[in-house]
Amino acid sequence: MDQEDRIALFLDYENLALGARDHRGGAAFDFRPIADALAERGRVVVRRAYADWSYFDEDRRMLTRSHVELIEIPQRMGASRKNAADIKMAVDAIELAFERDYISTFVICSGDSDFTPLVHKLRELNKRVIGVGVEGSTSGLLPPACDEFLYYDRLEGVDIPPAHGRRARPATRQAGAEQRPPEQEQERRTPDAEPDRDVDAVAVLVAQSVAGLQGSANGEVTASRLKRTLLRKDPTFSESDYGFRTFGELLRHLAERNVIELAEGPAKGDPEVSLPEHGDREVAFGLLRGVVADLGSGGNPVALSGLKNQVRRARPDFSEKKLGYRSFLQFCKAAATAGVLDLRWSPEADDYLLTAQG
């Protein structure tokens, strides 16, 4: 039990309940999916919810059954109930951060950007911060401030609302992701469903992250370390959004597609992740060399500008990012290092020039 994270949970209940009602087709807020998600992340030792409970009388029993302490913030004449609840919640969180050293993770359940300074301060105090909010009522400023952000709408056990109650997802989603009707969304959440084509986007993200970790840090890249890195890049990242039940399942799928390689890691269930040294990378180098040789017949150099379009004409699914390179230039430099071609800068052409070798 000493290895478990101790979690303190703070709920801005008015924000969550009204957000669920207004942006999920009038659906009632259910605390159980949040409790289940946090149980997977550690041991919740503090559970507090803040509101004027005279407005949420029907929700009291649901929360007390889940052992949530209800903090009463009564509405007073000439005072803002919302501000009073926010301030009380922030003060209690900071007080707990100083008084309970064993609490390692704070969960702030709200979509209100007013809590962003609180998140920054808790992280400054070396606390991990997880945010939870309803998609339609969550400020775009809050998720990036957290170590991890869970959208209530996407948690297991939360019912899919009717189509008229759904809203577009925030801009934090991967570019190119398509909106789906409710029946397709339900199918995507089904554990046995096949991963959708968004996997191409996560393949690029994973490959780039592995390449960056290999290039900037010592030691092996483990699955747990990779997951932490992905969450730092995008706190809303979740493998379930791509149709996978676990992060390990996502990694195994990418390994089958030769995007990454998996090997036994230092701990059971935490494999080492690396980029393929051969296979697709050698094929891609050969493709690049062939295109350069065709364009520069007679040994003439070929300019880098426009070359990627020529490579894609030969192979439409080509993407240097799936191979772990951040740019096409970086990919060409790697090919030059491997002796596939010659790459040099030409001041006259104001461009890189490539010449096929061999």
Side-chain angles (χ1 to χ4, degrees), residues 99-119:
E99 291 185 350
R100 305 287 189 269
D101 290 339
Y102 57 82
I103 295 180
S104 57
T105 302
F106 282 74
V107 179
I108 306 299
C109 294
S110 177
D112 194 339
S113 62
D114 290 348
F115 286 106
T116 304
L118 170 63
V119 172

Side-chain angles (χ1 to χ4, degrees), residues 53-265:
W53 294 107
S54 63
Y55 288 85
F56 303 100
D57 192 57
E58 296 180 357
D59 297 349
R60 287 172 179 262
R61 183 170 299 180
M62 171 193 66
L63 293 169
T64 53
R65 277 200 302 262
S66 298
H67 310 287
V68 177
E69 181 184 0
L70 306 183
I71 308 299
E72 180 72 41
I73 307 295
Q75 184 175 12
R76 297 182 176 89
M77 292 296 294
S80 170
R81 185 179 71 254
K82 174 188 178 299
N83 289 342
D86 291 357
I87 293 171
K88 173 63 174 171
M89 184 168 146
V91 169
D92 286 358
I94 292 296
E95 182 181 40
L96 207 63
F98 280 104
E99 291 185 350
R100 305 287 189 269
D101 290 339
Y102 57 82
I103 295 180
S104 57
T105 302
F106 282 74
V107 179
I108 306 299
C109 294
S110 177
D112 194 339
S113 62
D114 290 348
F115 286 106
T116 304
L118 170 63
V119 172
H120 288 315
K121 180 56 66 175
L122 289 171
R123 295 185 68 185
E124 184 181 324
L125 295 171
N126 197 30
K127 305 298 184 182
R128 173 174 165 80
V129 181
I130 300 174
V132 182
V134 178
E135 282 190 87
S137 61
T138 295
S139 167
L141 298 175
L142 188 59
C146 301
D147 292 294
E148 182 179 4
F149 196 91
L150 306 175
Y151 283 116
Y152 170 78
D153 316 58
R154 305 184 198 176
L155 296 179
E156 291 296 328
V158 177
D159 294 332
I160 303 298
H164 62 78
R166 296 182 60 80
R167 293 170 61 93
R169 290 192 172 184
T172 53
R173 298 286 296 122
Q174 294 291 334
E178 297 178 353
Q179 297 297 323
R180 300 174 178 81
E183 61 273 11
Q184 292 182 12
E185 183 75 9
Q186 180 65 48
E187 181 179 331
R188 185 173 66 89
R189 284 172 175 258
T190 304
D192 297 329
E194 288 296 321
D196 57 31
R197 59 184 177 182
D198 282 352
V199 175
D200 288 339
V202 79
V204 170
L205 181 63
V206 168
Q208 286 182 329
S209 299
V210 173
L213 288 170
Q214 288 180 330
S216 63
N218 297 323
E220 68 279 356
V221 179
T222 60
S224 59
R225 184 180 177 193
L226 175 60
K227 178 66 178 288
R228 290 194 297 269
T229 300
L230 294 175
L231 286 171
R232 283 195 291 267
K233 289 184 174 183
D234 179 8
T236 68
F237 172 82
S238 173
E239 59 275 0
S240 64
D241 287 343
Y242 301 93
F244 297 94
R245 291 168 291 188
T246 64
F247 188 61
E249 185 178 309
L250 168 62
L251 293 182
R252 288 191 294 272
H253 177 78
L254 296 180
E256 290 172 359
R257 296 178 58 185
N258 206 33
V259 175
I260 58 173
E261 290 181 347
L262 298 178
E264 185 175 350

Side-chain angles (χ1 to χ4, degrees), residues 28 34 40 53 70 103 128 148 168 219 223 283 290 310 312 323 346:
I34 294 178
E40 298 167 358
W53 294 107
L70 306 183
I103 295 180
R128 173 174 165 80
E148 182 179 4
V283 171
Q310 298 297 327
R312 281 185 166 172
L323 299 171
S346 171

Side-chain angles (χ1 to χ4, degrees), residues 274-302:
S274 61
L275 294 175
E277 295 297 332
H278 304 288
D280 280 0
R281 194 169 302 192
E282 288 188 345
V283 171
F285 285 165
L287 171 67
L288 176 63
R289 183 195 177 281
V291 171
V292 171
D294 290 342
L295 294 175
S297 56
N300 294 320
V302 176

